[in-house]
Amino acid sequence: TNDVRKDMLHTIPGIGPDMVEAILDACGSIEEAACGDCLRNVPRMGKVLRNRIVEVLTSEEEVRFER
């Protein structure tokens, strides 16, 4: 895409195009998504994925996931 926010979210395992749109609709920004509260408003998002997103967006260390 031409939207770096979307491209970045796509790199997180478990997030597809529809989920990216839902995250940005519910949160409005990557910064808001990083706090995690707005992610509770994303349809079909469970606790594991919500925690994974917050971990990736807030970690000061390298984050790796098995694909």
Side-chain angles (χ1 to χ4, degrees):
T1 72
N2 225 8
D3 187 337
V4 175
R5 302 170 311 153
K6 292 179 181 181
D7 292 342
M8 187 186 65
L9 288 170
H10 274 289
T11 66
I12 301 172
I15 298 181
D18 293 339
M19 186 62 75
V20 167
E21 293 297 331
I23 291 168
L24 292 175
D25 286 347
C27 299
S29 70
I30 295 294
E31 183 177 26
E32 287 295 317
C35 85
D37 292 337
C38 65
L39 294 174
R40 296 179 196 281
N41 299 323
V42 177
R44 301 178 317 278
M45 179 177 291
K47 183 178 180 178
V48 171
L49 184 55
R50 186 169 55 245
N51 290 341
R52 182 181 302 157
I53 292 167
V54 172
E55 179 183 5
V56 168
L57 297 180
T58 61
S59 178
E60 293 181 13
E61 303 293 326
E62 184 175 327
V63 178
R64 293 179 179 251
F65 294 103
E66 291 295 320
R67 293 193 179 257

